[in-house]
Amino acid sequence: MTGTEPVDTDVADDDALYVLTAVLLTPAQFPSLLGDDYPEACEALGLEPYAEGYGLVLGQDGQGARWTVVVDDVSLVAVAIASWDCGMEYDLSPDERSVVVALPGWPVALAVAAPHVPAPHDPETGPGEPPPLTPPDPAEWGSAQRRLGADAVALQWAAWRDQLGDDAFAGTAGTGDAASAGATGEGDAAGASEKPGPADERAPGEGASAQEPPQPPSRRTPDEEQTPDDQRAPGGQQTPDDQRAPGGQQADGEQRTPGEQQAGGPRATGADGDAQGALQRVLAELHGYLEEPPPPGRVRSGFAPGGARTLRADGPGWSVVARTDDIAFVLLDEMPREVLPIGRGPQLPSLLAALDAMAVRPA
């Protein structure tokens, strides 16, 4: 699919759909902005949480309206994503019989547009019809932005981890799971100084100060919503899952994301009492997952270098990113744009290993 070849669907009076990208919606891989787990993500789209999952095909009709076509041919969408990730063209043309529903709008923000059609816009909906899907507002902070921020930390693990030295956990190292340090700041997601130090004072939305060193390279932001497998198709601009068909054009009015504007970088400041209490609560809930398994997708395991695994776990008001051979980072609804590291300690390794054993994994 080049972005100029239409796929026939029942969208917009049988108009053609110009495919821009595709995203998997399965227990192991789904746009985390939709929910803490797979059933919650399906509910956000009005879908039944079938174990086989779905594929989401995002595109525009001939009038430029945004549409999300849900298909049950997961293998077809997975092959298309894998082909694009390898720099190959793939004609993603779902059979009409595989179409489950066509939803107006896009649930995630895209920075591409189909050529030769009007600019992307939401289609008009009639009385009783669902409103168009829209991505979360990047200027606000809530559960969706928190999960997107956790995804960004997972993608940029090395950049975040390198900003924390052993002294970041001074005074708490060796105390077990509670070894932690707060991370406060409102600059770029990885805009903190390379060496841990006191948080600089600046207003929300301001960039890094002049005293800060250049940003680490190849930074990606929360709205790209990538999995650790970093699936990407050639051409066009980055999409939330960085999974796109070639041939897209830059869309006007692209919004900056929480990671580009406000998400804080990790700092070696000691966690205060509120942070320590929140981290203890998160760790207790993670232990609870081992006793009573959570809904599918609450704990997901992805590839990491050196034989380790990247863990992503979510719960009510919190998100965790961890490497099974290293530490963990926590983001909280109650602490906007703060990222709190949890030191490895004597108990964290066994907890991460147990979570990895019960986590869902990409096929």
Side-chain angles (χ1 to χ4, degrees):
M1 181 63 60
T2 65
T4 60
E5 301 172 28
V7 174
D8 290 331
T9 67
D10 294 329
V11 177
D13 299 328
D14 295 326
D15 202 352
L17 182 75
Y18 295 85
V19 176
L20 297 176
T21 189
V23 183
L24 291 177
L25 177 62
T26 68
Q29 291 178 279
F30 58 88
S32 65
L33 59 85
L34 294 176
D36 283 333
D37 51 56
Y38 174 65
E40 190 173 314
C42 289
E43 183 180 1
L45 300 180
L47 303 172
E48 292 294 327
Y50 294 125
E52 295 80 5
Y54 304 91
L56 307 181
V57 181
L58 281 63
Q60 296 173 256
D61 64 21
Q63 286 73 48
R66 305 181 183 99
W67 290 93
T68 298
V69 178
V70 182
V71 300
D72 59 16
D73 193 343
V74 179
S75 298
L76 176 68
V77 175
V79 169
I81 293 172
S83 298
W84 297 336
D85 188 40
C86 295
M88 302 167 56
E89 290 192 3
Y90 189 89
D91 182 8
L92 178 55
S93 301
D95 189 281
E96 289 186 4
R97 292 171 295 181
S98 69
V99 174
V100 177
V101 65
L103 302 172
W106 294 335
V108 295
L110 296 186
V112 292
H116 314 306
V117 298
H121 62 274
D122 290 332
E124 295 183 1
T125 55
E129 296 180 345
L133 301 171
T134 57
D137 186 348
E140 299 182 358
W141 181 262
S143 297
Q145 291 87 348
R146 176 249 302 165
R147 291 187 293 263
L148 289 175
D151 292 340
V153 172
L155 275 173
Q156 305 171 34
W157 180 271
W160 285 79
R161 185 64 177 92
D162 288 348
Q163 296 177 62
L164 291 175
D166 293 337
D167 59 341
F169 306 101
T172 54
T175 61
D177 295 332
S180 61
T184 307
E186 287 80 14
D188 187 277
S193 58
E194 291 183 349
K195 294 182 180 179
D200 60 336
E201 297 180 0
R202 56 176 180 252
E206 290 183 357
S209 65
Q211 288 76 25
E212 291 179 325
Q215 309 297 321
S218 301
R219 200 161 301 292
R220 299 199 179 110
T221 56
D223 72 337
E224 293 172 29
E225 177 67 11
Q226 273 181 299
T227 64
D229 294 324
D230 194 15
Q231 296 172 326
R232 172 169 54 226
Q237 302 297 315
Q238 290 186 346
T239 67
D241 283 84
D242 209 10
Q243 299 165 338
R244 58 177 175 272
Q249 294 180 340
Q250 180 70 32
D252 293 333
E254 179 184 358
Q255 290 182 312
R256 291 177 66 81
T257 64
E260 292 174 315
Q261 291 181 332
Q262 297 131 327
R267 314 283 184 169
T269 55
D272 57 23
D274 291 340
Q276 288 283 5
L279 292 174
Q280 292 284 10
R281 172 175 56 85
V282 170
L283 290 165
E285 293 187 22
L286 284 173
H287 279 286
Y289 285 175
L290 303 180
E291 300 173 2
E292 184 175 348
R298 279 283 178 98
V299 183
R300 306 182 296 282
S301 177
F303 171 81
R309 302 291 296 180
T310 296
L311 292 180
R312 272 286 285 109
D314 294 294
W318 56 265
S319 293
V320 169
V321 185
R323 287 278 177 92
T324 53
D325 61 348
D326 201 1
I327 64 170
F329 289 104
V330 179
L331 288 82
L332 303 166
D333 282 356
E334 65 203 67
M335 296 184 178
R337 302 177 180 92
E338 295 192 11
V339 181
L340 307 174
I342 298 180
R344 191 154 176 82
Q347 300 180 31
L348 188 64
S350 59
L351 173 61
L352 296 181
L355 289 170
D356 181 57
M358 56 93 64
V360 291
R361 306 185 179 208

